[in-house]
Amino acid sequence: MQMAHMPPMAPAPPQLDPAKLAPFVDPLPIPKVAKPIGTRPNAYRIPIQEFHAKIHRDVAPTRFWGYGNSVPGPTIEARSGEAISIEWPNRLPPKHFLPIDHNLMGAEKGLPESRTVVHVHGARVPPASDGWPESWYGPGKSATYRYPNEQEAALLWYHDHAMGINRLNMCAGMAGLYVIRDAFEDSLNLPKGEYEIPLVLMDRMFRADGQLYYPVSQLPDAPWVAEYTGNAVLINGKLLPYLNVQPRKYRLRILNASNARFFFLSLDNGQPFQQIGSDQGLLPAPVAVSRLDIAPGERADVVIDFAEYVGKNILLNNVPSAIMQFRVANEKVADPSALPQTLRPVRRFTESEAILTRRLTLEEFDNLIGEPIAHLLDGKHWHEPISEKPVLGTTEIWELLNTTDDTHPIHLHLVRFQILDRRLLEVSDLVYNEKVVYRGEAFPPEPNERGWKDTVRATAGASTRIIVKFERYTGRYVWHCHILEHEDNEMMRPYEVIAPRHDK
Ligand code: C2O
Ligand code: CU
Ligand code: CU
């Protein structure tokens, strides 16, 4: 994606160039499934700690901060309707190894540098277990959260959410998968077991010695930069991995866990992905997608059938270069799995179900020479009083009015929602006259966006409308841009689900 303007970055040290590495020499790692502790079947403990891991055969081990001892961390396997609890002990060393900007809200000097708090993205949980950004804790401390899993099968993910340093903690490696399964999905006979492969995509910059690099601005006291993107794409923690596959159907569960990079994925044999699910679970029916666009925070569940490619190698491309190789075995196999024509019905909301529409701007603030200083939601900073207070059990339309040149992936905690439409705006009318003037007709969401979502690409210079029902829990949650540099610099706001009044 294009940035209109970036604050000038300080010159970077020599970088690792993935184009100079031998491609496809490491097998794709599959993150281990987390095991419950002791005799209690539904209790887990996942420490947050420093470790070193190999990102490529020919690169020395890289320091990471993450969950357990791998990036991504161990995968949580949960069943719909069966609650679990997870203890998340912070065992990090005291000093951060990436550049903290103490000017940012919640990142003031004097706080423990290696503070953290875990959020399960896409989980419907009570506020006390959601990972409120200010509920971080330092090394030597711990928190135990309860996850009810009262929701449909979906690929969720867990990651750090510490106020003001979230971008650094996630760059350091703090992310993992959280899969919820249910009986309905089981009945579809989709590819499973060794034929279901998670792909966690995260781009990074590395120094020539293989260590993580996070750039800084030219201002020593204000090192924040507006976006972190790197030339090296890790897939399940490896650069340019390969995967041996059989000529049959596979289910790939793709997560974009990058700080700021949008991926545009395709297969070099021209074969489309059959997309069967998005953020919050199954689509009504498979959608053939030849270029899969996926923004930070979003997930895509796809089926690929390799049956016709016996003995061939197929590249997974992120426009324009290859990031992974599939090697299809040279023998025919039986494939008992299915790609059903219909998946899970999704009842579409009608606009009339909403009791109100909130118009919320996405804004970028620049200094006098056009460098971004902060990004705001509806013109408000994090610490201002809560302005969005939906009533439990009601449905609302949130119209995201993006006045910037960037597409922002906007995520709401607690809820799942549907995308209504997008429509171009006369941005200057909004910015200078606070008037909403549309340009042209509204266009409907893409076919692969017509399921349940928790993160939506709010298109540059456009209105994006979502329709949301606020269910199950009251209390404080957050909504934010999932470009982590924006989130850390004021593009995050609290909201509060309030109880209905019973006074009449
Ligand atoms: Cu992916 Cu507020 O989170
Ligand atoms: Cu979330
Ligand atoms: Cu943003």
Side-chain angles (χ1 to χ4, degrees), residues 119-122 411-413 480:
H119 167 64
V120 179
H121 179 130
H411 169 51
L412 278 67
H413 287 205
H480 59 88

Side-chain angles (χ1 to χ4, degrees), residues 60 140 179 191 225 238 297 301 304 306 332 370 378 382 384 390 415 432-433 500:
V179 191
V225 295
K238 288 284 181 204
D301 196 350
I304 304 180
F306 296 110
K332 288 235 178 264
D378 211 34
W382 165 259
E384 290 179 59
V415 294
Y432 300 109
N433 308 318

Side-chain angles (χ1 to χ4, degrees), residues 119-122 130-131 133 157-161 166 170 255 296-299 411-413 454-455 478-482 484 487 492:
H119 167 64
V120 179
H121 179 130
D130 193 51
W157 61 300
Y158 60 92
H159 60 74
D160 176 77
H161 221 301
N166 186 218
M170 286 177 68
L255 159 68
E298 287 189 306
R299 285 87 74 208
H411 169 51
L412 278 67
H413 287 205
D454 58 40
T455 306
V478 301
W479 66 290
H480 59 88
C481 178
H482 224 288
L484 304 178
E487 175 193 331
M492 174 164 72

